[in-house]
C-alpha cells in the first residue's frame, strides 16, 4: 500500500508538472487547469491510494460503479470521501440519470436534450443545481456519444438543444467536453481540441445566457496538447495509475 501510494504520487506530481509547463508555454496560468484522475475499473484500494497521493478530483465512467465506490468510501471513512470531488465523464444511460444528478460535482458527458431533461428533474428532487458540460463529437465518428460537431457549417443547428438545456432550471451549463478519435499522436488530437475551442467561442457568442468557461479535453496520451489548446480540465487515467484492470474503455 505505501508503495502504491508513492508510485501514484510520483506520477501524479509529474503529470501536474507537465500540465504547468504546457500552460506556461501557452501563456496560461497553471491554476487554470484542473487534473481529473480517471479511476474507472480501478478497485477501491487504488481509489484510496489515489486520494492519499493527493488527487483532488476523481473521474468515473460508469454511474453504478462510481456510486458503489463513493458510498463505500463514505461508510469507511468520511475523511477520504471529503478530500475529493467526483466527476462523471462517461455516457449515462437514461435510467441512470438519477445517479448522475445525485452523486457528482460535475457531469462532463451530458450528451442529449432528453437526458438533460431527466437529470434536471432529478436534480430538483435532490435540491441541487447540477453543473454540467455538453459533450460534442468533434471527430464525426459514427457511434460516438455527444452532439455531432465535425461539420462547422452545421453548428447553428446545435443552438436549439443548447438553448433548451441552458433554460433548464436545475442544470448549470459550464462548458464543453470531447473525446476525440483514438490516436497515438497528440498532434492529431490537437486538431480536434482546436475545433472544440472554436465551438466554445461560437456558443459563447450565441448563447451568452450560459457559462462556457470549461473545456474538458485531453487524456493520458495527449493532455499536454489539450492544455496548450485551452483545456481547463484534463482527464488522465493510465499515465498516473498504469494499465486499467478489467473491462474495456
Ligand atoms: C478512460 C477515459 C479517460 C482516461 O483515459 P486514459 O487513457 O486512462 O488517460 C478520459 N476520458 C474519458 C471519457 C475516458 O473514458
Amino acid at each position: 500500500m505505501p508503495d502504491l501510494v508513492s508510485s501514484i504520487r510520483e506520477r501524479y506530481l509529474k503529470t501536474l508538472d507537465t500540465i504547468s509547463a504546457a500552460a506556461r508555454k501557452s501563456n496560461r496560468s497553471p491554476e487554470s487547469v484542473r487534473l481529473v484522475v480517471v479511476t474507472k475499473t480501478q478497485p477501491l484500494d487504488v481509489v484510496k491510494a489515489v486520494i492519499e497521493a493527493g488527487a483532488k478530483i476523481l473521474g468515473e465512467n460508469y454511474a453504478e460503479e462510481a456510486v458503489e465506490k463513493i458510498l463505500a468510501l463514505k461508510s469507511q471513512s468520511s475523511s477520504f470521501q471529503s478530500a475529493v470531488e467526483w466527476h462523471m465523464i462517461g455516457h449515462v444511460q437514461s435510467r441512470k440519470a438519477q445517479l448522475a444528478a445525485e452523486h457528482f460535482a460535475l457531469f462532463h458527458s451530458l450528451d442529449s436534450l432528453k437526458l438533460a431533461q431527466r437529470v434536471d428533474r432529478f436534480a430538483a428532487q435532490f435540491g441541487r443545481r447540477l453543473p454540467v458540460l455538453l459533450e460534442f463529437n468533434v471527430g464525426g465518428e459514427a457511434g460516438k456519444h455527444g452532439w455531432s460537431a465535425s461539420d462547422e457549417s452545421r453548428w447553428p443547428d446545435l443552438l436549439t438543444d443548447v438553448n433548451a438545456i441552458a433554460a433548464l432550471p436545475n442544470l448549470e451549463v459550464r462548458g464543453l467536453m470531447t473525446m476525440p478519435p483514438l490516436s497515438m499522436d497528440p498532434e492529431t488530437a490537437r486538431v480536434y481540441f482546436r475545433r472544440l475551442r472554436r465551438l466554445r467561442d461560437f456558443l459563447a457568442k450565441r448563447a451568452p445566457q450560459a457559462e462556457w468557461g470549461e473545456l474538458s479535453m485531453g487524456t493520458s496520451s495527449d493532455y499536454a496538447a489539450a492544455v496548450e489548446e485551452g483545456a481547463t480540465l484534463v482527464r488522465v487515467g493510465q499515465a498516473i495509475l498504469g494499465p486499467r484492470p478489467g473491462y474495456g474503455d
Side-chain angles (χ1 to χ4, degrees), residues 41-238:
T41 82
Q42 298 285 358
L44 204 57
D45 280 357
V46 173
V47 172
K48 287 186 197 167
V50 172
I51 297 171
E52 248 188 286
K56 301 286 180 261
I57 307 175
L58 305 184
E60 288 276 341
N61 282 61
Y62 310 100
E64 270 169 344
E65 177 193 332
V67 170
E68 256 174 49
K69 290 174 185 172
I70 293 168
L71 297 180
L73 279 183
K74 217 182 234 167
S75 71
Q76 287 179 17
S77 149
S78 58
S79 63
F80 264 128
Q81 173 55 22
S82 58
V84 285
E85 59 179 59
W86 295 82
H87 290 189
M88 174 46 63
I89 64 168
H91 173 66
V92 172
Q93 292 166 293
S94 187
R95 60 197 162 85
K96 308 280 170 65
Q98 178 174 355
L99 299 178
E102 183 174 6
H103 294 281
F104 298 91
L106 179 63
F107 181 14
H108 291 227
S109 40
L110 184 58
D111 57 11
S112 75
L113 175 57
K114 190 167 154 273
L115 180 63
Q117 289 164 333
R118 261 180 91 79
V119 175
D120 176 70
R121 281 197 296 276
F122 284 116
Q125 285 178 23
F126 295 117
R128 304 189 63 193
R129 192 147 192 261
L130 180 71
V132 300
L133 309 180
L134 309 187
E135 179 172 359
F136 292 94
N137 172 5
V138 289
E141 291 169 287
K144 199 116 185 192
H145 295 292
W147 285 269
S148 175
S150 55
D151 178 355
E152 302 197 16
S153 71
R154 304 288 300 276
W155 283 359
D157 300 350
L158 298 168
L159 289 167
T160 311
D161 281 1
V162 166
N163 283 318
I165 292 171
L168 293 171
N170 309 296
L171 300 186
E172 196 173 296
V173 175
R174 294 268 180 88
L176 296 74
M177 180 269 212
T178 199
M179 189 77 180
L182 205 59
S183 160
M184 291 329 276
D185 178 10
E187 295 312 311
T188 308
R190 189 185 293 274
V191 174
Y192 300 110
F193 298 149
R194 283 192 181 143
R195 186 173 293 157
L196 193 73
R197 190 184 60 199
R198 276 203 307 279
L199 176 58
R200 188 271 300 279
D201 297 343
F202 175 91
L203 295 175
K205 201 176 275 173
R206 287 161 187 84
Q209 72 277 28
E211 264 183 59
W212 297 102
E214 302 282 7
L215 283 177
S216 170
M217 55 191 196
T219 64
S220 290
S221 54
D222 51 26
Y223 66 94
V227 169
E228 288 170 20
E229 299 304 333
T232 61
L233 290 153
V234 293
R235 310 178 308 263
V236 180
Q238 299 179 82

